[in-house]
Structures are given as structure tokens and as C-alpha cells.
């Protein structure tokens, strides 16, 4: 569905959105809400708003996570 060069192919964006979705879930839980009553679409929409409001901070954190994951995989082999 997504073409080349879209957000879907950007690992930093994907990780930043994963972080934003987790923050949304944590916020709902801190308010005593049952996260299970919210649809994935509703959580993602709230995460997009959070991402748009804090893009630089989320992307900086996401970049660190992606780099750490990549360096942890360096030297691993399936053989």
C-alpha cells in the first residue's frame, strides 16, 4: 500500500511511532483507563498527534534505539 520513500520505509519513524503508541497507552493507564477498550486506530491517531507535537524528541530517541539494535546484531550469523 505504501510506496518507496514513505514513512513506512523509515525505521526511525516506525520506532518513533512505536514509542509514541506506548506513551499513549501509559498515559491512558495512568488515568485509570482500560486500554483494551480503545481501538488500535484510536491509539495510533493519538500517537500521531503526540509525534507531530514532539517529533524531534521522539525521533532522537528512536534513532538511538535503532542504532543500538543494529549494533547488537553486528557480527551475528545464521550459520
Amino acid at each position: 500500500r505504501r510506496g518507496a520513500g514513505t514513512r513506512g520505509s523509515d525505521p526511525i519513524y516506525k520506532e518513533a511511532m512505536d514509542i509514541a503508541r506506548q506513551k499513549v497507552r501509559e498515559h491512558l493507564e495512568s488515568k485509570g483507563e482500560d486500554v483494551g477498550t480503545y481501538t488500535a486506530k484510536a491509539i495510533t491517531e493519538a500517537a500521531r498527534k503526540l509525534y507531530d507535537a514532539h517529533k524531534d524528541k521522539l525521533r532522537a530517541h528512536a534513532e538511538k534505539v535503532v542504532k543500538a539494535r543494529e549494533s547488537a546484531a553486528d557480527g551475528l550469523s545464521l550459520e
Side-chain angles (χ1 to χ4, degrees), residues 32-53:
E33 298 283 337
D34 179 4
V35 176
T37 63
Y38 290 86
T39 64
K41 183 178 179 178
I43 301 242
T44 297
E45 287 174 4
R48 274 195 199 109
K49 290 178 183 176
L50 183 64
Y51 175 84
D52 289 342

Side-chain angles (χ1 to χ4, degrees), residues 8-44:
S9 63
D10 179 358
I12 305 298
Y13 174 77
K14 182 187 177 311
E15 186 64 37
M17 282 298 295
D18 287 347
I19 294 166
R21 277 188 283 274
Q22 184 58 38
K23 291 295 183 187
V24 168
R25 288 185 198 98
E26 290 171 4
H27 175 74
L28 292 170
E29 288 172 352
S30 75
K31 297 270 192 188
E33 298 283 337
D34 179 4
V35 176
T37 63
Y38 290 86
T39 64
K41 183 178 179 178
I43 301 242
T44 297

Side-chain angles (χ1 to χ4, degrees), residues 38-68:
Y38 290 86
T39 64
K41 183 178 179 178
I43 301 242
T44 297
E45 287 174 4
R48 274 195 199 109
K49 290 178 183 176
L50 183 64
Y51 175 84
D52 289 342
H54 302 282
K55 180 179 180 177
D56 292 339
K57 187 174 183 178
L58 283 166
R59 284 188 67 86
H61 182 66
E63 187 172 356
K64 290 177 187 176
V65 171
V66 170
K67 284 183 179 182

